[in-house]
Amino acid sequence: MTSWKISLVAGLVVGGLLTTAVWHRSPRPTQEEFEQLQQKNQQLIAEKSALEQEFEVFQTQSALDIEQLRTELKTSQQAIEDQKAELEKKVAAVTTEKKTLAVTKKKLDTQVVKLTHTAEQQKAVLDNSKALYQQQLELQKQITAAKTDVKKAEQVAAEFKQACDEFKSGTSWNWVSQADCDKYEARLKVVEGEQAQLAALEQELDLLNQRIEIEIPRPN
C-alpha cells in the first residue's frame, strides 16, 4: 500500500476513534473538550481533503501516463507488425521463387554465386561509367570536328569542280586546264577520306552507345 493510502486510512481511523471516544467517555463532554474535538475534527477534515486532492492529481497524472504508454506501445506494436509483414513478404517471395525454380540447396548456392558475380560486374561497370561517358563525349566532339572537316573539304572540292566542268565542256578560259580536274579528283578523295573518318567515328559512337545502354542500368 502506498504512503498516501496509509495516511488516508490512518486519518479515517483516528477520526473514528476520536469520535467514538468522545461519545463513550462521557455523556456530556465539557465545552473545552468539545471545542478541542471540533478543532481536531476540522484538522482531520482538512487533511482528508488535501489527501483527496492529492489522490485526484495522482489519478489524473497516472491516467495520462498510462495513455501515453498505451500510445507508445501501440506505435511500437504497429512498427513491429509492419516489419513482420515486410519480412513475411520477403519470405513468401523467396519461398515462391524456390518452388518455381524447384532447385536444390546446392543449385541455389550456385545461383547465389552467379548473382554475386553479376552484381560485382555491374558494380565494375558503374565504377567505369564515368570513363564510358567521357569517351562518349570525346567521340561526340570528334564527330562534330569531322563534320566540319567534311564540309570544308566539300567546299574546296566544289571550287575545283566548276573549273573542271568548264575544262571538260570546252568552254573554259585559257587558265583552266586538266590540272584543275586533277586537283578536283584529289579533293574528292580528301572528301571521301573525311567522310570515311566521320562514318567510322559515328559507328564507334553507335557501338559505344549500345554498350552504355546495356552495361549501365537506367534509373527507374
Side-chain angles (χ1 to χ4, degrees):
M1 182 178 294
T2 57
S3 60
W4 64 266
K5 290 183 178 179
I6 295 173
S7 299
L8 179 60
V9 172
L12 294 175
V13 170
V14 170
L17 291 175
L18 289 174
T19 303
T20 304
V22 168
W23 294 108
H24 287 81
R25 180 180 177 184
S26 174
R28 298 183 62 184
T30 64
Q31 183 65 27
E32 181 180 356
E33 290 176 336
F34 182 74
E35 290 176 355
Q36 289 177 353
L37 289 174
Q38 280 188 324
Q39 291 177 358
K40 187 64 177 179
N41 188 48
Q42 291 296 326
Q43 181 181 354
L44 292 173
I45 291 173
E47 291 177 356
K48 178 184 176 184
S49 177
L51 287 173
E52 288 176 347
Q53 290 179 0
E54 183 180 353
F55 177 67
E56 290 178 359
V57 171
F58 175 79
Q59 279 188 319
T60 302
Q61 186 61 43
S62 297
L64 292 175
D65 292 342
I66 291 172
E67 185 62 28
Q68 182 178 357
L69 289 174
R70 286 178 178 174
T71 302
E72 293 175 355
L73 179 60
K74 185 177 180 181
T75 302
S76 299
Q77 288 177 337
Q78 185 61 46
I80 293 173
E81 290 297 327
D82 293 341
Q83 292 178 356
K84 180 181 177 181
E86 186 65 24
L87 288 175
E88 288 177 349
K89 288 181 181 179
K90 292 181 179 180
V91 171
V94 172
T95 303
T96 302
E97 183 179 1
K98 287 182 180 179
K99 291 181 180 179
T100 302
L101 296 177
V103 294
T104 61
K105 184 178 182 300
K106 182 178 180 180
K107 290 183 179 180
L108 182 60
D109 292 340
T110 302
Q111 184 67 17
V112 169
V113 172
K114 291 181 179 179
L115 291 174
T116 302
H117 180 65
T118 300
E120 291 175 351
Q121 288 181 329
Q122 290 177 346
K123 183 178 183 301
V125 171
L126 289 175
D127 292 340
N128 197 38
S129 62
K130 182 177 180 180
L132 291 176
Y133 284 124
Q134 185 65 34
Q135 184 179 354
Q136 182 188 54
L137 179 61
E138 185 62 29
L139 281 174
Q140 290 172 345
K141 291 180 180 179
Q142 292 179 10
I143 288 173
T144 300
K147 287 181 179 179
T148 301
D149 293 340
V150 169
K151 187 176 181 180
K152 289 180 179 179
E154 289 176 344
Q155 290 175 349
V156 174
E159 296 175 0
F160 289 99
K161 181 178 185 303
Q162 182 179 359
C164 182
D165 290 343
E166 290 177 357
F167 173 75
K168 289 181 179 180
S169 65
T171 60
S172 60
W173 297 90
N174 292 332
W175 57 269
V176 179
S177 63
Q178 178 62 40
D180 293 297
C181 288
D182 294 339
K183 291 179 180 179
Y184 174 61
E185 293 297 332
R187 291 298 174 180
L188 284 180
K189 290 182 180 180
V190 173
V191 171
E192 291 175 356
E194 296 292 349
Q195 289 176 337
Q197 184 177 359
L198 174 60
L201 289 172
E202 289 178 337
Q203 183 178 7
E204 184 178 355
L205 178 61
D206 184 59
L207 292 175
L208 178 61
N209 288 337
Q210 293 179 19
R211 179 183 172 188
I212 290 175
E213 186 69 24
I214 294 173
E215 295 184 7
I216 299 180
R218 299 296 180 183
N220 296 328

